[in-house]
Amino acid sequence: MNRGVVLGFVALLAAPTAAMAQASLERGRYLVDTVMTCHNCHTPMGPNGPQFDKALSGGLRFEEPAFDVIASNITPDRNTGIGDWSNAEIKVALQEGTRPAGHHLAPIMPSGFYKILTPGDLDGIVAYLRLVPPVENKVRGPVYKLPTAQQVFPGAERPMSESDLNDKAKRGFYLVTIAHCMECHTPFSRSGSGLDFEKSLGKGGREFPGPWGVSTSPNITSSKASGIGDWSDAEIKRAITQGVRKDGTKLKPPMGYGFYAKMTDGDVDAMVAYLRTVPPKE
């Protein structure tokens, strides 16, 4: 066979693979930079907002009764980031909350929400994290004051099937889960067993101190009196993507509306469809 024909045939075979790899990378970029709001914690915060010239190089400090931690450097820097981690080790950290050395990440890292990630989305996230610019920024190690454990979000125990993503409400559940919305919008159980997903899902009330003062997460259940049950779809979408309530007042950080603003209309619509199904809580 002519050598040129052989090379052309090989190129034809390689083209779909390259296209698939590019699609996976772009999907990972979309998830990391928008839905999952990774920058909200892992990018340093300056007086004017996230310092994207140091994107994902380590960010906010979280000090709670059980731990005092700073969000890790997740750029591919080999000395201070995750450049020496294998793909499998990155996936384990994302979904199990465990570093390569076996140390557990603080539960502020929403690994219990990421178990639902489809294999394709997980591969895309890893591919994108491999290609963000490496930034050398050593973040001090965590301080644990009490034992901590991963809390898995109900319904996120296993990867969602690709076919389920074709259903609007199920896709909305998937997106709300990997956006870990219910991590902030669900209060802790009085028993001290973690977030009260069973009785208080989406009820709000958690307080988040920061440069913005103290932000209290609102009720995002379908309650007409206390939640968003009497909001229109457009009003809910405006709150998600612009940080503006039904009455026109502004939401405070750490609500990541600046990242959600870059989501596709279809994905935001799916989020709204799922939120409509959250049982009302007063």
Side-chain angles (χ1 to χ4, degrees):
M1 185 180 290
N2 183 282
R3 185 169 182 270
V5 173
V6 172
L7 291 175
F9 182 66
V10 171
L12 284 173
L13 290 176
T17 302
M20 289 172 62
Q22 183 63 31
S24 177
L25 173 64
E26 290 306 316
R27 176 65 174 173
R29 184 194 311 275
Y30 174 72
L31 295 174
V32 169
D33 289 354
T34 63
V35 186
M36 294 168 66
T37 62
C38 300
H39 293 278
N40 221 15
C41 292
H42 289 278
T43 292
M45 189 69 66
N48 299 314
Q51 297 177 295
F52 289 112
D53 59 325
K54 300 177 181 177
L56 303 175
S57 65
L60 297 184
R61 177 182 179 182
F62 299 92
E63 188 172 11
E64 297 196 10
F67 53 81
D68 181 359
V69 301
I70 296 175
S72 304
N73 183 339
I74 56 172
T75 74
D77 180 71
R78 291 188 174 275
N79 295 319
T80 62
I82 60 173
D84 281 338
W85 295 23
S86 69
N87 289 355
E89 287 169 338
I90 297 174
K91 292 178 181 181
V92 167
L94 277 166
Q95 296 191 300
E96 304 297 331
T98 306
R99 292 176 179 273
H103 301 129
H104 289 292
L105 297 168
I108 195 70
M109 169 64 179
S111 56
F113 291 76
Y114 294 156
K115 291 177 180 291
I116 198 173
L117 283 164
T118 67
D121 280 353
L122 193 57
D123 287 340
I125 291 164
V126 172
Y128 177 55
L129 291 178
R130 290 288 191 206
L131 292 181
V132 300
V135 179
E136 187 169 0
N137 180 37
K138 185 172 179 59
V139 175
R140 71 157 172 81
V143 175
Y144 294 107
K145 307 169 189 177
L146 296 170
T148 60
Q150 184 189 63
Q151 184 178 9
V152 179
F153 183 59
E157 298 85 359
R158 61 188 62 83
M160 180 170 277
S161 70
E162 294 284 353
S163 61
D164 279 344
L165 296 179
N166 295 322
D167 179 278
K168 189 174 184 179
K170 289 180 179 178
R171 187 166 92 253
F173 174 74
Y174 180 78
L175 294 166
V176 167
T177 300
I178 64 174
H180 48 96
C181 303
M182 295 303 178
E183 180 184 29
C184 292
H185 289 276
T186 301
F188 286 104
S189 168
R190 292 182 180 179
S191 67
S193 58
L195 296 171
D196 190 5
F197 295 130
E198 182 180 357
K199 297 179 180 178
S200 302
L201 179 71
K203 191 169 71 172
R206 286 190 64 186
E207 293 186 345
F208 297 90
W212 49 80
V214 176
S215 178
T216 303
S217 62
N219 185 326
I220 57 171
T221 73
S222 56
S223 167
K224 291 183 180 294
S226 306
I228 57 175
D230 67 343
W231 293 29
S232 68
D233 287 1
E235 287 167 340
I236 299 174
K237 290 176 69 174
R238 185 177 68 166
I240 293 172
T241 61
Q242 299 177 40
V244 179
R245 296 184 182 89
K246 178 182 174 70
D247 63 7
T249 58
K250 287 285 289 184
L251 294 167
K252 296 179 181 179
M255 172 63 180
Y257 49 83
F259 301 103
Y260 301 142
K262 300 173 185 176
M263 291 176 61
T264 66
D265 284 341
D267 278 353
V268 181
D269 286 340
M271 279 185 158
V272 173
Y274 164 68
L275 290 174
R276 293 289 190 202
T277 71
V278 177
K281 301 291 182 184
E282 306 305 331

